[in-house]
Amino acid sequence: MPLSSCRVRPTCLIVIPALNESATIAEVVACTRAAIDCPILVVSDASKDDTADRARAAGAEVLVLPTRLGAWGAIQTGLRWAWRQGYTQVLTLDADGQHPPEALPRLRERLAVSDVVIGTCPQRLSLAKRIAWAYFRMLTRLRVIDVTSGLRAYGESAISLLARPEASLLDYQDIGVLLLLSGQGLRLEELPVAMQPRQCGRSRVFSNWFQVSRYMIHTTVLCLARIKRRLPAGAPS
């Protein structure tokens, strides 16, 4: 059922960012619908394939971005849509099949005591990533093991904060987002989850050495800047 036709809107929305994920998006949507009874919004990040059509056919609402914004831009689009529609919880997962939809109810349950819940799978991290994350944890003092996991649950306070224009300045959903959340005193929690290897495609950040170098430099500068300034009260514009 289209989200716009729901008479009584549920409190929770599933947001799935997708870039050229036609090979997996239908299965991810179907498995998510089977795992949890929440509306699903797929945000197609200017995909060049039929990701949007397959997502709709599988039962999801779809937003198609005319210009590629990156994974965080797509997720923030979903968060802003959820905020304006009155949702108080947003669950996110990747469209490539890595994240188990059956973990979503567990993440949602933990929102009763936390503002943000991150599905964590340290076993999936390579040695290089483990070293990188340890380096960033040292700089930021964030107590998060898997900083790049897109399997997350956001409560109302986190949605409101991340839907604001200030969060649009971030390129990635990891360090910058976590610093922004923790800097405002929100409670972050990690929940161990078993994940699957990527079925196809490759990481947007770790696709080549240029991207890795750019990410490390960008994130180091962000860590040193330590986003600490308070945001003004009020809803996102």
Side-chain angles (χ1 to χ4, degrees):
M1 178 183 296
L3 303 187
S4 57
S5 65
C6 295
R7 293 184 178 181
V8 179
R9 188 171 303 281
T11 60
C12 184
L13 177 70
I14 312 295
V15 173
I16 305 176
L19 171 63
N20 299 328
E21 299 286 2
S22 62
T24 55
I25 189 61
E27 181 179 0
V28 170
V29 170
C31 291
T32 301
R33 293 182 66 191
I36 187 169
D37 185 19
C38 296
I40 300 173
L41 177 69
V42 172
V43 182
S44 176
D45 191 21
S47 296
K48 300 300 183 182
D49 59 10
D50 58 349
T51 292
D53 292 337
R54 294 196 177 195
R56 290 191 189 96
E61 184 86 351
V62 178
L63 292 179
V64 178
L65 301 179
T67 303
R68 186 172 299 179
L69 298 181
W72 170 241
I75 291 172
Q76 192 192 40
T77 297
L79 289 170
R80 285 179 165 174
W81 195 95
W83 177 261
R84 290 167 181 166
Q85 295 297 318
Y87 289 97
T88 57
Q89 297 175 336
V90 169
L91 310 181
T92 66
L93 73 161
D94 291 351
D96 58 13
Q98 289 190 86
H99 299 152
E102 57 270 20
L104 293 174
R106 294 170 52 211
L107 267 66
R108 186 184 182 188
E109 288 175 1
R110 296 304 301 169
L111 286 177
V113 294
S114 298
D115 296 300
V116 181
V117 186
I118 304 170
T120 298
C121 183
Q123 294 80 5
R124 77 188 181 100
L125 301 179
S126 64
L127 177 60
K129 286 185 179 181
R130 290 173 186 267
I131 294 174
W133 301 165
Y135 164 69
F136 289 133
R137 283 196 300 273
M138 178 189 68
L139 289 180
T140 64
R141 298 183 181 179
L142 287 171
R143 296 180 179 178
V144 177
I145 297 174
D146 192 347
V147 300
T148 60
S149 174
L151 180 61
R152 298 184 182 181
Y154 296 103
E156 187 171 10
S157 296
I159 297 170
S160 173
L161 177 62
L162 296 178
R164 298 180 186 184
E166 287 81 355
S168 301
L169 301 176
L170 303 171
D171 284 349
Y172 307 103
Q173 67 172 338
D174 41 43
I175 298 294
V177 170
L178 296 176
L179 283 173
L180 192 57
L181 293 167
S182 63
Q184 295 298 307
L186 271 64
R187 296 162 294 178
L188 277 61
E189 176 184 347
E190 288 186 291
L191 188 68
V193 172
M195 296 186 188
Q196 300 296 322
R198 182 186 295 270
Q199 295 184 22
C200 59
R202 59 183 180 177
S203 169
R204 301 192 199 188
V205 176
F206 300 96
S207 57
N208 56 62
W209 282 110
F210 173 77
Q211 290 295 339
V212 171
S213 300
R214 178 180 180 274
Y215 173 82
M216 293 297 293
I217 294 171
H218 174 98
T219 307
T220 296
V221 172
L222 183 59
C223 290
L224 295 175
R226 299 285 187 90
I227 303 175
K228 283 186 175 180
R229 67 186 182 86
R230 304 287 298 182
L231 296 179
S237 60

